[in-house]
């Protein structure tokens, strides 16, 4: 599904708070593949080394997510063969501009793809529901568990009714 490439016309735009965000000029149907999180795969040691202040563009597969309403409560989270960290700080695609929302329009799931006799883990983003043109594409960055006392928390500006107030 995700190998067919990008099917919608993306726009990187200035959000109300001044940062960049991502949206699509085309409608996206519920469940449709949107894009992958492209970047450089790094290991845990490099994540620790970079620290939380150095890189705003790390995707962490190790975060914990709120159950999405589209999935029944007994749906298990997809199994990931190993933790995956991807930084899109220096190389990446449009997904690096996707902001966090506590009521996201997009969710991610892991996919395994064969590559020269081995399987590579990729992260594919899909629409949670029908997304009309120009609606911001956002996903839940997830929660660090266990949350350490000194965990850096970013004030969340998603303005959702269900806003948790922060994201990590
Ligand atoms: C992966 S980048 C997303 C693109 C970013 N807005 C930009 O201008 O390049 C993640 C950073 O965007 C900002 N951000 C993302 N979601 C946010 C939210 N809900 N509230 C406030 N800032 C957010 C934070 O600075 C965060 O570290």
């Amino acid at each position: 599904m995700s190998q067919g490439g990008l099917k919608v016309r993306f726009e990187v735009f200035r959000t109300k708070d001044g940062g960049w965000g991502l949206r699509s000029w085309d409608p996206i149907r519920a469940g449709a593949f949107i894009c992958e999180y492209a970047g450089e795969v790094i290991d845990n040691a490099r994540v620790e080394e970079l620290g939380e202040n150095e890189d705003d563009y790390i995707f962490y597969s190790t975060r914990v997510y709120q159950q999405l309403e589209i999935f029944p409560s007994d749906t298990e989270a997809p199994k990931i063969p190993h933790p995956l960290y991807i930084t899109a700080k220096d190389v990446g695609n449009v997904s690096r501009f996707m902001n966090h929302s506590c009521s996201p329009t997009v969710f991610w799931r892991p996919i395994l793809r064969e590559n020269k006799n081995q399987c590579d883990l990729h992260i594919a983003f899909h629409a949670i529901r029908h997304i009309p043109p120009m609606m911001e594409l956002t996903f839940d960055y997830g929660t660090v568990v266990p949350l350490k006392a000194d965990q850096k928390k970013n004030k969340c500006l998603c303005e959702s009714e269900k806003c948790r107030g922060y994201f990590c």
Side-chain angles (χ1 to χ4, degrees):
M1 276 302 160
S2 59
Q3 275 178 304
L6 306 178
K7 297 277 191 291
V8 295
R9 291 170 297 165
F10 292 104
E11 182 184 37
V12 175
F13 72 103
R14 277 276 176 210
T15 61
K16 250 190 347 193
D17 70 71
W20 297 106
L22 184 68
R23 61 191 176 192
S24 163
W25 287 3
D26 302 301
I28 307 176
R29 65 182 164 75
F33 167 72
I34 299 175
C35 59
E36 283 189 30
Y37 198 87
E40 182 193 351
V41 174
I42 54 175
D43 61 16
N44 191 42
R46 177 89 190 283
V47 171
E48 306 264 305
E49 191 184 297
L50 284 171
E52 287 154 356
N53 299 319
E54 293 289 319
D55 192 342
D56 281 345
Y57 297 92
I58 302 182
F59 173 88
Y60 303 85
S61 73
T62 47
R63 299 274 163 97
V64 170
Y65 297 88
Q66 281 183 336
Q67 179 79 24
L68 288 172
E69 282 160 20
I70 51 165
F71 296 121
S73 55
D74 59 353
T75 309
E76 274 188 48
K79 298 260 180 304
I80 303 184
H82 56 81
L84 180 67
Y85 309 101
I86 304 173
T87 173
K89 191 176 180 191
D90 298 323
V91 283
N93 63 1
V94 286
S95 62
R96 77 196 292 282
F97 297 107
M98 242 192 289
N99 287 314
H100 162 86
S101 172
C102 303
S103 296
T105 51
V106 171
F107 71 100
W108 65 268
R109 63 181 187 197
I111 40 170
L112 282 170
R113 187 174 298 144
E114 264 187 49
N115 177 25
K116 295 179 191 147
N117 296 329
Q118 63 170 45
C119 270
D120 290 342
L121 187 57
H122 294 254
I123 297 302
F125 289 107
H126 293 257
I128 291 176
R129 55 183 175 82
H130 172 79
I131 305 175
M134 310 310 265
M135 177 178 276
E136 186 170 2
L137 305 177
T138 55
F139 71 104
D140 183 349
Y141 286 5
T143 309
V144 179
V145 174
L147 198 61
K148 292 181 243 148
D150 63 348
Q151 177 69 45
K152 180 191 162 200
K153 288 182 179 173
N154 299 284
K155 183 177 163 45
C156 182
L157 302 174
C158 78
E159 294 184 342
S160 142
E161 280 176 13
K162 295 179 186 164
C163 184
R164 303 195 286 267
Y166 72 90
F167 64 95
C168 298

